[in-house]
Amino acid sequence: MQLFLDTANVDEIREAAALGVISGVTTNPSLIAREGRDFQQVVREITEIVDGPISAEVISTEAGAMVAEAEELARIHPNVVIKIPMLPEGLKAVSRLESRGIRTNVTLVFSANQALLAALAGASYVSPFVGRLDDAGHEGMEVVADTVEIFTLHGLQTKVIAASIRHPLHVVAAARAGAHVATVPYKTLMQMTRHPLTEVGLKKFMDDWARLQNR
Ligand code: G3P
């Protein structure tokens, strides 16, 4: 399983990349808007920090326009993966882009059927939104588990990215469900590094060491 960082903040990406645990980055229009910076420039900077799949999302909703936007984004760097919303027009765009060698990540996926359609259209990645399903009173991780099971059973090559991850328990559940990737906010990544017993244990080691020096 791989971890991607779900952010458009290049400082967070630099910090996380230095840990050596991040294989890619996902962005979306909301994350880009939060930074208030030029979209293409942000994507370019991210490709310079992380050598892995970098998802950048189109904002058109008609297949032809999505393809045109995607082609422009794909020119930024070969690692750019185009995030396409799960719509009938999106599926058309996915099959056209993948046949031209441009990788896609189908986003706003909330059911295993949507994930199946994305895979059949040839998407490289599909992103079920776990947290938003949980927010709506569903068991979001079930969609991840069902999707992984279906793809495995039928030999579909599309990778499953557990997205809309909100806390460390989501990451454990995504890993147990067999997700190929979990894309995590920076805050969740840092929460994953911590455990109170690590802090208590380190303090004891340091205190004992200091006592030895003062003998
Ligand atoms: O990038 C897609 C997804 O991870 C968004 O997460 O927290 O806005 O539901 P969230």
Side-chain angles (χ1 to χ4, degrees):
M1 162 143 161
Q2 293 183 324
L3 287 179
F4 289 1
L5 203 64
D6 196 29
T7 183
N9 182 297
V10 290
D11 294 328
E12 290 182 349
I13 294 168
R14 258 189 217 100
E15 286 290 324
L19 302 181
V21 298
I22 293 301
S23 305
V25 175
T26 52
T27 67
N28 64 39
S30 304
L31 293 171
I32 296 280
R34 195 179 295 168
E35 298 308 308
R37 302 182 53 212
D38 178 70
F39 179 27
Q40 297 215 7
Q41 178 58 26
V42 171
V43 173
R44 191 168 298 109
E45 284 177 29
I46 297 173
T47 63
E48 285 160 9
I49 303 167
V50 175
D51 183 18
I54 311 298
S55 286
E57 188 160 341
V58 298
I59 42 134
S60 306
T61 50
E62 184 275 319
M66 286 186 200
V67 169
E69 258 190 77
E71 284 175 334
E72 200 176 327
L73 289 169
R75 271 196 287 276
I76 296 175
H77 194 281
N79 282 346
V80 172
V81 173
I82 310 302
K83 242 180 169 183
I84 302 279
M86 177 57 219
L87 304 167
E89 287 294 305
L91 294 176
K92 289 183 203 168
V94 166
S95 51
R96 285 187 214 164
L97 289 167
E98 292 279 351
S99 70
R100 294 175 201 179
I102 295 176
R103 288 178 297 164
T104 59
N105 170 4
V106 175
T107 187
L108 291 168
V109 166
F110 295 96
S111 73
N113 269 331
Q114 289 182 319
L116 176 60
L117 291 172
L120 293 175
S124 298
Y125 299 94
V126 63
S127 294
F129 274 31
V130 176
R132 292 192 197 184
L133 276 164
D134 289 357
D135 292 345
H138 299 280
E139 187 59 70
M141 205 55 73
E142 272 177 15
V143 175
V144 173
D146 287 350
T147 302
V148 169
E149 187 184 344
I150 291 165
F151 287 6
T152 306
L153 196 59
H154 297 284
L156 296 165
Q157 297 304 306
T158 305
K159 292 203 163 88
V160 180
I161 303 179
S164 186
I165 293 286
R166 303 279 172 76
H167 49 72
L169 274 180
H170 270 157
V171 183
V172 174
R176 295 186 69 187
H180 305 92
V181 181
T183 188
V184 300
Y186 180 75
K187 181 181 168 209
T188 305
L189 179 71
M190 295 319 289
Q191 286 172 327
M192 288 167 68
T193 67
R194 292 185 206 115
H195 194 287
L197 290 178
T198 305
E199 283 155 34
V200 169
L202 182 64
K203 184 172 181 330
K204 179 162 172 29
F205 286 157
M206 294 300 123
D207 291 348
D208 290 345
W209 191 256
R211 243 193 319 276
L212 173 68
Q213 309 309 309
N214 296 333
R215 254 193 209 162

